[in-house]
Amino acid sequence: MHKKPIVIAALVASTVASGGYAFADTDSHAADHAEMQAALAAKVSMMQAIQSAESQSGGRAMEAVFSDENGNPGYEVSIVTTDGAEHNLVVDASTGNVAKATQAAENENDDNGTVDEEGE
């Protein structure tokens, strides 16, 4: 019978496949670790970023997330204003200044049918 070569081939294939996932997980873990280190090193806390975003917009924070995209640490803060509009603000983690603000659309397109810079 030829069952042994098939079983061995299946075992080798599963080992190679799982090794690939372990490698990808290691990269993801390293990226997560780097982002955590950037959050710990930020001069502005998440609470301060939320206060800055609320002060700038006159609204209330619904969600805040630390982000370290392209080496630029900051906080993405979702704000809702009294008129019911949702805004996404990016607060610089070094200065506390609102670096960028966009109005969030209810769906992928705004009223003109175009997509904004962040795909919202």
Side-chain angles (χ1 to χ4, degrees):
M1 290 197 166
H2 296 289
K3 287 187 178 181
K4 275 191 177 180
I6 293 171
V7 171
I8 292 172
L11 181 60
V12 169
S14 68
T15 302
V16 169
S18 66
Y21 289 119
F23 181 73
D25 186 50
T26 302
D27 288 345
S28 175
H29 180 69
D32 289 346
H33 183 71
E35 188 172 51
M36 285 187 274
Q37 291 302 315
L40 289 171
K43 294 178 182 175
V44 175
S45 71
M46 184 176 286
M47 185 59 83
Q48 291 168 321
I50 289 170
Q51 289 170 345
S52 180
E54 287 180 340
S55 174
Q56 175 83 21
S57 67
R60 293 282 183 194
M62 295 186 337
E63 182 178 11
V65 180
F66 181 82
S67 175
D68 187 22
E69 291 185 30
N70 303 322
N72 298 318
Y75 298 93
E76 297 173 9
V77 183
S78 295
I79 297 285
V80 65
T81 53
T82 56
D83 62 358
E86 184 180 343
H87 302 270
N88 296 320
L89 284 68
V90 176
V91 180
D92 187 295
S94 297
T95 64
N97 295 328
V98 175
K100 181 178 171 184
T102 60
Q103 183 168 355
E106 288 185 32
N107 57 31
E108 289 289 318
N109 298 325
D110 65 15
D111 294 337
N112 300 324
T114 58
V115 177
D116 73 11
E117 327 175 344
E118 295 181 359
E120 298 178 301

